[in-house]
Amino acid sequence: MTNPTLLFDAELLRPAIARGALVLTPNRRLASRIRIALAAGQAAAPAAPVFALSVWLQQLWQQLVLRGDPLAAGLWVLNSTQELALWEQAVRSGDMPLLRPGQAAEQAQSAYRTLALWRQLSLSSALRTECAAQPDSGMFIEWADRFALSCAKRQALAAAERDRRVVEAALQRRLQLPPIIVTVGFDDMPPLYRALLQCIDDCSELELPDRSQQALCIGYDTLEKQLQAAALWAQRQLQKNSTGPIAIVVPELNQQRALVERVLLDVLTPEHVLPQQPRRLPLLNFSAGDALAQMPLIRCALQLLELTAHEIERETLLQLVGAPFHVIGADCDALTMFIERICALRTSKLRAAQLRQCAEAVAQHYPQWPLATLLQQLAEHVRRERLRAAKYSARQWAEIFSQLLTTFGWPGARTLDSIEYQQHAHWQQTLIEFARFDQIAGPLDCNAALQRLRTLLQAQVFQPQTADTPLQVLGVLEAAGLQFHSLWLCDMGDDRWPAAAAPHPLLPRDLQRRLRMPRCDAEREFDIAARLTNSLLASAQNIVVSYQNQREEVARQPSPLFKTLPKINSRDLFGVDLPELLPALARRRQSHAQFHIEAFAPGRAPLIDTGETARGGSGLFKDQAACPFRAFAAHRLNARPLDEPVAGLDAAERGVILHSALEYVWRELNTQAALLALSSAQQDELIQRAAVNALRDFSAQQPHRIGLRFTQLEIVRLQRVLTGWLAIERERGEFSVHALEMRSQITFNELLLRMRVDRIDRLADGRFLIIDYKTKNANCSIHEWLGERPDEPQLPLYAAAFDSDDEALAGIAFAQVRLEKPQLIGVGADDLSQQGFSLPSHFSDGEVLQDWSDLQMRWRSVLAELAQQFIEGHAPVAPKTAATCDFCALDSVCRIHHENAADDIDARRENLQ
């Protein structure tokens, strides 16, 4: 082979083709590679007669159609998606409701196809009796009968029935068949196809030569390490022989595609992850593709069409606005403001009206940004055409969808590259197939039409058409029949190869074993795997077989099909251990050599520099007491979790609204005497006004956060809470409100802090009481202020920072404002005992408190120590209790759960020993 892209030795087939032979392969990929090999070096030559078996069956069916044969006259063949839709109709029309009818339909389609290939599609009475003995199989027979009626009603055929009729016509000599057929790459052939080939006078399997020279076996800890080693090995093979071809074979490649591609590209082209890298055609060919619906260009189209819905997921919207395939993202500043506004709504789904209002708010700052106008046009179109309620044919929906995408400038202003152009062509073809659903279904509403289109796109596997490269990545079946210079077989352990038996759930087990159907038992799987193994081992000169040493804490060995191969390790294969060859580690070592890395001691953060401002106020002390690392991460690194969308208002927002309502009440009353002077009706009016104003202010800051109905319910809740709380305020001794929501900035032990005091009351004797509102349902306790690591140091800090002399401060208190059992809990001077305040006897274990002034002194000492720890960078991961971590979102940074898990594993190992 002289051309590096050739994956087959064409000279093996030229004599047969010269005799007029037709060449059949099990799949289109092998047929394509054989045709390329036969055409290599020929300037102009007719296409070689090489076809996948499925393509040849279609050609034979066309013969029947053109001849007007009774087996084909007046009938049309369903494509796979149309067939699946009819199966789903059959499943859903049954008496037994199913949790996942779509998956049941896929299983039924598969069972029907299997029966056809094993020549059981007549559904004889004996077969029906055998199926009736098992509930699942009996249900399948009912579905199959309903499916057959649906097909007969539409004069349609499933592809499996078409193939059965083609073979029936061939057996009856009603087809013109080629005199000579050569098959290539068939390791297993169903009885239906064997019967067809038996009609050929001269039919033979091409014997491929044994090219193997060396085969080795090597084990690694994970599949990822196997792939890394395979990439490095392939790279070395190409350096020795640039013509290749080299193949890496991975079982179940469709499921493993993302991992395989990431690992191989990381090793072979590590620069691909760097920003500003131009998009390039792949350096390796994959036999497995991705669903067309997951391609960026097509995903963007589907997301644009979802704008017609009443609601759209916030995650979907964020993906959409960042895509380059429309006119929305033309202005980066406008787009940034829009993203900020939709995130500020803090809801997982946005209504269409909310979306338009956010876009209109951005358009006021950026008039040229087109989204607000486009959304308004879309809303008018949806309303005029009644798109959310009306039902149209699939053909009409295809036209509507195309018009909507054009409105948003899809697929974008820039020129599509080769791969995107192919995706766009597939989209156009899919719309044509979608329009054909009118043949099997009636009118659809918008949701059903969009779901049907999405299903079509998801079912299509997109594989870009690119020239073959010297490095091929293949599944096991796709590699059969091809020829390589070097071959690496991944994941060939005794738990992976042969594959485990998996009989079809809708067909009787005895029937499957008797007819030797796919995956029916371990014996059949071993026989198929043995034939494939022999074929693969003969397909290349240099072969490496890898397996996983250990899986789920169980030691593994190579598959018994490779037991004769000599075992080696990485040093035998590469001369060094695998980690020393990986580019990522090499880049990291180079970075370490070029740049000075600051030494880090666990639990020791850098000292606070002069002029450095720590974020936060009293929360800094609360976090330092709870866990020093939390204080460092939150107040110096500004590490914060992402907001999680909630339905309605979250606890923090409810607290903000309640604070605002209380502020309205006391700014109007100012004194307890004024409260006592109110009649019941006057108090209710005041509370109503305060609740309405508080929610009005909240809505002004966060427009569209809650709707009218929710606002009305929240007003009722606020009224009940405020009524209960004012009853508590009436029972207190005489007071006036000195300050509300007082903001200030203080310096405490060299820390510059921002503070906001909810409320300060002046008592009858002129002293002050600092109050902090609490809206949580759990009971507050004065013990949260005590100890060397207090749970709630906010009020102690306010007391320590109080700018009057100590005697002017009478005490501190939690005002627990809630629906059930509101209460005022506090500590202070002895003469506040009539308000229910009491001084604890001990500050901490063994430390007796003398009086209120002694408690204030202890607070200053504890807070000063916490401040000094923070300033000096004392930041170990040291939660106060196990419960401290329950409500902390920084576990991914401190990794305490990983450490605990490691400790648990070590403990279990010690116990086992």
Side-chain angles (χ1 to χ4, degrees), residues 224-237:
E224 182 167 351
K225 289 185 177 179
Q226 293 180 59
L227 294 168
Q228 290 172 342
L232 292 168
W233 176 82
Q235 198 173 48
R236 290 192 172 190
Q237 295 297 316

Side-chain angles (χ1 to χ4, degrees), residues 184-220:
V184 181
F186 286 93
D187 291 296
D188 182 36
M189 184 174 288
L192 183 69
Y193 297 156
R194 287 203 302 267
L196 174 61
L197 295 183
Q198 286 170 0
C199 300
I200 307 301
D201 297 332
D202 186 351
C203 181
S204 62
E205 172 75 15
L206 178 67
E207 292 290 335
L208 297 175
D210 188 346
R211 301 161 57 88
S212 64
Q213 297 179 4
Q214 181 186 47
L216 304 169
C217 188
I218 188 169
Y220 286 100

Side-chain angles (χ1 to χ4, degrees), residues 343-614:
C343 289
L345 295 177
R346 299 186 65 191
T347 178
S348 59
K349 293 182 178 180
L350 279 78
R351 298 190 302 275
Q354 289 178 304
L355 187 58
R356 290 196 303 273
Q357 289 162 355
C358 288
E360 289 166 1
V362 175
Q364 294 177 3
H365 299 274
Y366 300 94
Q368 301 304 317
W369 194 51
L371 181 59
T373 302
L374 292 174
L375 289 176
Q376 187 60 41
Q377 292 175 358
L378 176 63
E380 293 173 358
H381 185 72
V382 168
R383 184 166 51 252
R384 183 175 62 253
E385 303 296 334
R386 300 176 58 248
L387 294 186
R388 292 182 186 141
K391 291 187 176 183
Y392 297 104
S393 67
R395 185 177 301 277
Q396 288 173 309
W397 279 119
E399 295 175 358
I400 291 170
F401 290 157
S402 296
Q403 292 171 3
L404 291 176
L405 291 177
T406 301
T407 300
F408 282 89
W410 187 87
R414 67 176 177 83
T415 302
L416 300 179
D417 63 26
S418 173
I419 294 177
E420 292 167 348
Y421 182 83
Q422 293 178 49
Q423 293 171 6
H424 188 262
H426 278 69
W427 165 269
Q428 299 291 351
Q429 183 60 39
T430 303
L431 280 184
I432 295 174
E433 291 187 23
F434 171 71
R436 292 175 182 163
F437 268 99
D438 291 338
Q439 298 171 297
I440 63 171
L444 304 168
D445 61 27
C446 186
N447 288 337
L450 191 53
Q451 182 59 40
R452 182 73 69 189
L453 177 59
R454 186 181 291 106
T455 301
L456 263 176
L457 294 165
Q458 188 67 34
Q460 290 196 41
V461 177
F462 174 72
Q463 180 70 16
Q465 297 179 5
T466 58
D468 279 332
T469 62
L471 181 55
Q472 301 282 316
V473 184
L474 308 165
V476 176
L477 296 178
E478 290 81 10
L482 296 176
Q483 296 169 300
F484 315 101
H485 176 271
S486 302
L487 172 67
W488 184 296
L489 300 175
C490 284
D491 216 16
M492 291 291 168
D494 54 7
D495 61 331
R496 286 290 190 266
W497 188 254
H504 201 290
L506 295 183
L507 298 176
R509 298 286 180 90
D510 291 342
L511 173 71
Q512 296 181 62
R513 294 191 185 99
R514 186 170 65 251
L515 298 180
R516 310 304 295 157
M517 289 181 173
R519 310 292 295 274
C520 64
D521 57 29
E523 180 183 357
R524 186 183 190 280
E525 288 307 298
F526 188 90
D527 291 343
I528 297 297
R531 290 199 290 271
L532 277 170
T533 297
N534 292 334
S535 173
L536 292 171
L537 290 178
S539 66
Q541 300 173 24
N542 301 309
I543 299 173
V544 177
V545 178
S546 66
Y547 65 98
Q548 192 162 323
N549 287 323
Q550 186 177 14
R551 202 187 309 269
E552 297 178 355
E553 299 186 359
V554 177
R556 296 297 180 185
Q557 295 295 325
S559 166
L561 294 170
F562 301 104
K563 62 182 179 181
T564 61
L565 301 186
K567 291 185 179 180
I568 60 172
N569 57 37
S570 279
R571 285 193 171 273
D572 297 329
L573 188 62
F574 297 114
V576 295
D577 290 331
L578 181 62
E580 299 180 37
L581 295 171
L582 297 179
L585 293 181
R587 290 198 306 273
R588 193 175 300 130
R589 287 196 298 270
Q590 183 179 6
S591 299
H592 289 182
Q594 292 179 351
F595 303 103
H596 171 68
I597 304 299
E598 182 179 352
F600 171 73
R604 299 302 305 174
L607 298 176
I608 290 185
D609 294 333
T610 303
E612 180 180 350
T613 301

Side-chain angles (χ1 to χ4, degrees), residues 554-843:
V554 177
R556 296 297 180 185
Q557 295 295 325
S559 166
L561 294 170
F562 301 104
K563 62 182 179 181
T564 61
L565 301 186
K567 291 185 179 180
I568 60 172
N569 57 37
S570 279
R571 285 193 171 273
D572 297 329
L573 188 62
F574 297 114
V576 295
D577 290 331
L578 181 62
E580 299 180 37
L581 295 171
L582 297 179
L585 293 181
R587 290 198 306 273
R588 193 175 300 130
R589 287 196 298 270
Q590 183 179 6
S591 299
H592 289 182
Q594 292 179 351
F595 303 103
H596 171 68
I597 304 299
E598 182 179 352
F600 171 73
R604 299 302 305 174
L607 298 176
I608 290 185
D609 294 333
T610 303
E612 180 180 350
T613 301
R615 298 176 176 86
S618 62
L620 184 154
F621 291 86
K622 181 176 181 178
D623 290 337
Q624 186 72 27
C627 176
F629 178 83
R630 183 196 294 182
F632 167 67
H635 300 281
R636 296 189 67 184
L637 301 183
N638 197 27
R640 294 180 298 172
L642 295 174
D643 289 336
E644 293 187 9
V646 296
L649 299 172
D650 60 24
E653 290 171 327
R654 288 182 184 273
V656 169
I657 294 171
L658 181 57
H659 276 62
S660 178
L662 285 166
E663 183 179 3
Y664 270 106
V665 168
W666 286 112
R667 287 203 183 280
E668 184 164 331
L669 292 176
N670 193 45
T671 65
Q672 188 198 39
L675 173 62
L676 296 174
L678 291 177
S679 66
S680 177
Q682 289 172 329
Q683 178 175 301
D684 290 345
E685 181 187 359
L686 172 62
I687 289 173
Q688 165 80 9
R689 192 163 60 251
V692 170
N693 288 337
L695 281 162
R696 181 200 61 202
D697 292 347
F698 177 81
S699 297
Q701 295 174 0
Q702 298 196 44
H704 323 303
R705 180 73 178 83
I706 54 177
L708 177 61
R709 178 59 179 158
F710 198 99
T711 300
Q712 293 172 339
L713 292 173
E714 189 64 19
I715 288 174
V716 174
R717 189 191 72 86
L718 278 175
Q719 288 175 319
R720 293 174 59 195
V721 172
L722 292 175
T723 300
W725 178 246
L726 291 184
I728 299 295
E729 299 275 26
R730 285 174 176 270
E731 299 299 323
R732 290 178 53 198
E734 181 184 348
F735 68 87
S736 63
V737 177
H738 173 73
L740 288 168
E741 303 296 333
M742 186 181 74
R743 288 174 169 81
S744 62
Q745 188 167 287
I746 66 168
T747 300
F748 185 88
N749 279 42
E750 301 180 4
L751 284 177
L752 185 63
L753 305 172
R754 296 185 302 274
M755 297 174 54
R756 190 187 70 179
V757 182
D758 290 344
R759 179 170 148 194
I760 301 176
D761 284 358
R762 185 187 293 273
L763 305 180
D765 59 7
R767 292 178 302 165
F768 296 97
L769 177 68
I770 302 177
I771 296 176
D772 181 45
Y773 294 131
K774 292 294 182 184
T775 58
K776 62 182 181 180
N777 288 325
N779 288 327
C780 297
S781 170
I782 62 174
H783 295 290
E784 297 178 44
W785 296 321
L786 305 179
E788 302 299 324
R789 298 173 70 176
D791 294 328
E792 291 287 348
Q794 181 179 10
L795 284 177
L797 176 62
Y798 294 168
F802 196 71
D803 58 3
S804 300
D805 58 78
D806 293 341
E807 295 181 356
L809 183 63
I812 60 174
F814 282 137
Q816 195 155 12
V817 186
R818 57 184 182 177
L819 280 173
E820 297 182 0
K821 297 181 180 180
Q823 57 184 334
L824 190 70
I825 303 171
V827 298
D830 293 341
D831 56 357
L832 290 182
S833 58
Q834 68 271 19
Q835 297 197 26
F837 289 18
S838 62
L839 190 71
S841 59
H842 292 77
F843 185 78

Side-chain angles (χ1 to χ4, degrees), residues 103-104 106-108 110-111 114 131 134-140 143 502-509 512 518-519:
Q103 291 186 3
E106 291 176 2
Q107 292 283 5
S110 169
T114 300
C131 289
Q134 300 181 17
D136 291 343
S137 301
M139 188 178 299
F140 164 69
W143 296 342
H504 201 290
L506 295 183
L507 298 176
R509 298 286 180 90
Q512 296 181 62
R519 310 292 295 274

